[in-house]
Each structure stands twice: as structure tokens, then as C-alpha cells.
Amino acid sequence: MSSFTAGHGFGGGLGGTAGAQYKELERKTTVGQLVAQVGYTEYAVLDEIRVIRGDAKTPEVIQVDLKRLYEYGDRSMDIVLKDGDIVFVPREHIAD
């Protein structure tokens, strides 16, 4: 599992290391820009990225499909990260 906390993110598919990572962002950064900076493994499921935003009791979970960005240039789901966001890049598809 790999993740990042935002200005930050996490997830098993990011950066080639397991577990959580923290990245301080110096300017407005989208999920796509963060993933490009950190890199991702061959196991990353780029069409099922989740951004977890808000407090732990009632978080907002936002799905981000970077596969559409990379394959078709569709930036519609590439959101700008806010302070405290957690970006989760799974290594396996997330069940419904």
C-alpha cells in the first residue's frame, strides 16, 4: 500500500516504497503532478486513486482516475490538492 498526505499522499503503488510517505508541497499541485513527482510502480491502479479530505470522523473521499489523464489527456478528474489531503494509490482494484 502507498499513500501521501497533502500537501501530501499514500498508496502501495507509489514511489516504489511500501507504507505512508509525506511530501510537503510548495505550490498548488494536482494529484497527477504529485504522482508524476513521486513516481508509481507497475502495480499502481491509476484509475482507482482516492483523495481523502477533511476530518477523520467525516472524511470526504474523492475518486480520481489518472488513467484517463495519461491515456486520453482528460484532466477533468485531476483535482488540486488541499492541505491535509491524503492520496491513496491502491495496488489492487477496490471492491464495490
Side-chain angles (χ1 to χ4, degrees), residues 11 80 84-85 87 89:
V80 174
D85 281 356
V87 178
V89 181

Side-chain angles (χ1 to χ4, degrees), residues 11-30:
L14 282 176
T17 62
Q21 300 178 42
Y22 178 86
K23 181 158 180 71
E24 191 68 41
L25 304 176
E26 297 176 8
R27 57 186 162 82
K28 286 186 180 181
T29 303
T30 66

Side-chain angles (χ1 to χ4, degrees), residues 66-85:
L66 286 187
K67 190 173 180 182
R68 290 177 61 117
L69 170 65
Y70 296 147
E71 288 185 6
Y72 307 109
D74 180 355
R75 296 182 175 273
S76 64
M77 296 184 77
D78 190 17
I79 64 171
V80 174
L81 294 168
K82 294 183 179 181
D83 190 39
D85 281 356

Side-chain angles (χ1 to χ4, degrees), residues 4-5 13 18 26 29-30 41 47 55 61-62 77 81 88:
F4 277 87
T5 312
E26 297 176 8
T29 303
T30 66
T41 70
D47 57 344
D55 78 49
V61 179
I62 305 163
M77 296 184 77
L81 294 168
F88 177 73

Side-chain angles (χ1 to χ4, degrees), residues 21-70:
Q21 300 178 42
Y22 178 86
K23 181 158 180 71
E24 191 68 41
L25 304 176
E26 297 176 8
R27 57 186 162 82
K28 286 186 180 181
T29 303
T30 66
V31 175
Q33 290 170 325
L34 175 68
V35 170
Q37 286 176 19
V38 174
Y40 56 92
T41 70
E42 62 188 279
Y43 305 109
V45 183
L46 297 177
D47 57 344
E48 293 194 21
I49 293 172
R50 300 293 191 268
V51 174
I52 303 160
R53 178 173 287 168
D55 78 49
K57 292 184 181 183
T58 56
E60 176 184 8
V61 179
I62 305 163
Q63 182 172 350
V64 177
D65 182 350
L66 286 187
K67 190 173 180 182
R68 290 177 61 117
L69 170 65
Y70 296 147

